[in-house]
Structure formats: C-alpha cells, structure tokens
C-alpha cells in the first residue's frame, strides 16, 4: 500500500517525492474536489499507468488493504 501511494505521489517518476509533489498531494487530499480525489484513488490502483484497472491491480489493492487492517488488528465492518 505504501508503494502504491509513493508511486502516485511521485508524479515525475524519479524515485523520490520532492516538497512540491508532497504539497500537491496534501492539497488534493485535504481540499481537492471529488473528481481530483477519485483520480488520485484511480491512479493509485492503476499501478502501470495504463488508464485502466486490471483484476490483478484490484486484487493487489484489496489484499494490501486487508494486510494493513490485519497488521493494525482492525476488524471489517459487518454488512
């Protein structure tokens, strides 16, 4: 999950997050419009940047979220 977030915030794909990239991410996260937040979430799941989400990318995301929840000892809400 951290790697997915890193790849999304590192907009110029140079392997680092500079202050401007970090600041832009914080602004979208805090003040962004719904469309901007959706784009950020989509880009985070679309790991290869193809503009589509494959089943493998979605499964990786779901597995990462559940692994994080398990590591934090969180339970899934009942549906």
């Amino acid at each position: 999950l951290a790697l997915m977030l890193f790849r999304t915030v590192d907009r110029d794909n140079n392997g680092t997050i500079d202050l401007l990239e970090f600041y832009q991410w914080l602004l979208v996260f805090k003040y962004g419009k719904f469309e901007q937040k959706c784009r950020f979430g989509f880009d985070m799941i679309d790991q290869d940047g193809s503009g589509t989400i494959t089943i493998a990318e979605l499964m990786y995301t779901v597995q990462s979220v559940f692994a994080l929840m398990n590591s934090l000892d969180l339970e899934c809400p009942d549906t």
Side-chain angles (χ1 to χ4, degrees):
L1 200 55
L3 181 58
M4 294 167 60
L5 177 62
F6 185 89
R7 287 179 180 160
T8 305
V9 177
D10 178 23
R11 302 304 281 179
D12 59 7
N13 298 313
N14 70 350
T16 63
I17 296 173
D18 62 34
L19 182 59
L20 180 60
E21 289 169 326
F22 185 73
Y23 181 67
Q24 290 171 332
W25 172 71
L26 286 177
L27 286 175
V28 168
F29 188 75
K30 174 94 175 150
Y31 301 108
K33 295 178 181 178
F34 178 74
E35 293 82 10
Q36 291 172 303
K37 292 176 182 181
C38 284
R39 169 54 61 187
F40 181 84
F42 185 91
D43 289 346
M44 197 167 153
I45 298 170
D46 179 23
Q47 297 174 27
D48 63 4
S50 66
T52 61
I53 296 173
T54 65
I55 188 67
E57 290 170 328
L58 186 58
M59 287 180 67
Y60 179 80
T61 303
V62 171
Q63 290 170 347
S64 296
V65 169
F66 279 105
L68 177 61
M69 290 175 66
N70 285 335
S71 72
L72 298 174
D73 201 26
L74 298 175
E75 295 184 19
C76 295
D78 293 331
T79 55

